[in-house]
Amino acid sequence: MEKNRHDWMPALLIGILSNAVLRFHTGYWSRIGILAAGASILALALTTIWFSVGWKRWDCAPLRGGLCVILAASSVLEILRLRNIYESLYPGTVGLMASCFVLLLPVVYLRRENALRQTAGAVLALLAIGLAAMLLSIAQQLRVTNLQNISLTAEEWLGTISSQTVLYPEYLLLAVLPKREKSERSAVRLACSGVLFDTGIHLLLELFFGAAMPGRSSPVQAAAQCGALSIFNRLEWVQLVLWTMAVSVKLAVYLYTMVELLGGKTGQGNTAVGLDRFFWYLGGVLLFCILWRSIDLERAFEWRNILIWAYALPVVLGGVIQCLGGSRKRKTA
């Protein structure tokens, strides 16, 4: 059965867009974010394209193992981050093990490639509906006067671009998932969607919170609970279901990619992850969730970004050299 690269875009988009929704704090003011968006999109798109080129040239066991480590650590951090949101809404009612099983059990179904790609499209549509409902709910509380007139200092520019160019694992997965045709267009789409969505969320939050925005913890959830619609300020479980589905899809993509990298795909037509590999993944994630349950998650995500950039830059450099070498050969020919 022929598969299309674009079938994976909803799953990758969920992974990137959910980071903007589930972030601990905002990273910049919307004015400078809008001005810096073009440069951030260009940086992420070129990084993704060159990583893909470098991966095709330098693909080897150490690179595959390094990416598996990044995806496994990211799985643990994603579960712990959503568990913090559970705790903020229902303190003391959702334990660590319960959070893990709630997020990981859907992966048993999503380990099949077709189920994963189809479910990702449905979840992406539901997230869009949920965000539209939230916007409608808080529309009367948005104030243009809340927009801050900040000075565009070098420190503000650097902080904004650093926040917008966080290299999420999904950007690297374009080089790994099956069917790598049209990777340039997919990279641009992914970078544009991620940066513009993140900037839009910051603009919405600044219109809502004003100068208090940087101090708000889990600002999207806080804004949703202040809305006029009972679906958000009374039925918090509705938004929890949405975030849970999004994170479960993200975990399934990580598992699928790790098995793809390790060459262990099993199932009908080699499109499903074997149950034995799922249980190894489940056991490892549960173990590290217990070991890391007390870490500073915000700092851990910062270190993850540093680790991913350190991992990707040598491959990106190899991709740049490959592109320059190819262009020189075409000129001499």
Side-chain angles (χ1 to χ4, degrees):
M1 180 177 174
E2 197 68 23
K3 302 175 186 63
N4 192 308
R5 153 65 55 175
H6 294 290
D7 289 338
W8 286 103
M9 286 302 294
L12 297 178
L13 281 173
I14 287 173
I16 290 178
L17 302 186
S18 64
N19 289 294
V21 174
L22 299 176
R23 65 187 307 152
F24 299 105
H25 297 94
T26 54
Y28 51 88
W29 297 105
S30 60
R31 177 191 175 195
I32 193 169
I34 293 170
L35 294 175
S40 298
I41 290 171
L42 181 62
L44 285 174
L46 288 177
T47 299
T48 305
I49 292 170
W50 287 333
F51 181 87
S52 182
V53 174
W55 182 272
K56 294 175 186 178
R57 177 67 178 84
W58 307 105
D59 183 10
C60 59
L63 280 180
R64 289 173 172 258
L67 188 52
C68 285
V69 170
I70 290 172
L71 295 177
S74 296
S75 300
V76 176
L77 294 178
E78 293 293 343
I79 291 173
L80 293 176
R81 176 166 64 177
L82 194 59
R83 187 211 172 220
N84 276 9
I85 296 178
Y86 291 161
E87 280 292 306
S88 67
L89 293 176
Y90 302 104
T93 59
V94 183
L96 175 60
M97 298 302 290
S99 301
C100 291
F101 281 108
V102 166
L103 289 166
L104 288 169
L105 285 181
V107 180
V108 176
Y109 170 73
L110 296 174
R111 65 190 177 84
R112 297 174 176 84
E113 181 182 341
N114 288 337
L116 173 56
R117 291 189 283 114
Q118 292 168 4
T119 303
V123 171
L124 189 62
L126 289 174
L127 285 175
I129 294 172
L131 288 172
M134 187 194 82
L135 178 59
L136 178 64
S137 177
I138 65 175
Q140 293 182 347
Q141 302 178 55
L142 302 180
R143 301 287 184 271
V144 176
T145 54
N146 282 338
L147 295 177
Q148 303 298 300
N149 187 19
I150 60 168
S151 56
L152 303 181
T153 63
E155 184 179 358
E156 288 288 346
W157 280 105
L158 181 60
T160 299
I161 293 176
S162 298
S163 182
Q164 288 183 335
T165 55
V166 172
L167 192 60
Y168 299 116
E170 285 77 9
Y171 289 113
L172 307 185
L173 300 191
L174 279 176
V176 179
L177 292 172
K179 299 294 179 185
R180 289 188 279 267
E181 69 272 13
K182 299 180 181 178
S183 58
E184 295 84 0
R185 184 182 302 176
S186 299
V188 173
R189 287 179 59 197
L190 210 57
C192 285
S193 300
V195 174
L196 294 179
F197 182 79
D198 189 63
T199 304
I201 289 292
H202 277 76
L203 176 60
L204 177 66
L205 294 173
E206 189 173 341
L207 288 170
F208 186 83
F209 290 116
M213 181 182 72
R216 296 306 298 252
S217 180
S218 300
V220 174
Q221 286 74 41
Q225 290 176 316
C226 295
L229 298 181
S230 62
I231 190 174
F232 288 110
N233 60 8
R234 294 178 189 170
L235 301 179
E236 292 93 348
W237 62 269
V238 175
Q239 59 173 323
L240 280 182
V241 169
L242 289 175
W243 311 146
T244 299
M245 289 191 296
V247 174
S248 292
V249 168
K250 182 184 290 194
L251 296 177
V253 172
Y254 290 171
L255 172 61
Y256 185 93
T257 306
M258 284 191 286
V259 175
E260 179 84 15
L261 288 169
L262 297 175
K265 193 85 66 62
T266 62
Q268 292 183 349
N270 289 330
T271 61
V273 174
L275 275 175
D276 56 338
R277 289 156 182 84
F278 167 76
F279 285 118
W280 277 106
Y281 174 75
L282 175 65
V285 167
L286 289 176
L287 174 62
F288 278 94
C289 280
I290 294 172
L291 294 176
W292 292 359
R293 64 184 181 276
S294 300
I295 66 171
D296 183 342
L297 283 177
E298 195 163 5
R299 183 61 60 86
F301 274 101
E302 292 174 0
W303 277 105
R304 185 192 70 167
N305 183 47
I306 295 172
L307 174 64
I308 294 177
W309 273 108
Y311 168 84
L313 280 177
V315 185
V316 170
L317 181 60
V320 173
I321 295 172
Q322 185 79 3
C323 290
L324 293 176
S327 62
R328 288 178 181 176
K329 289 180 181 178
R330 286 193 293 269
K331 288 180 180 180
T332 55

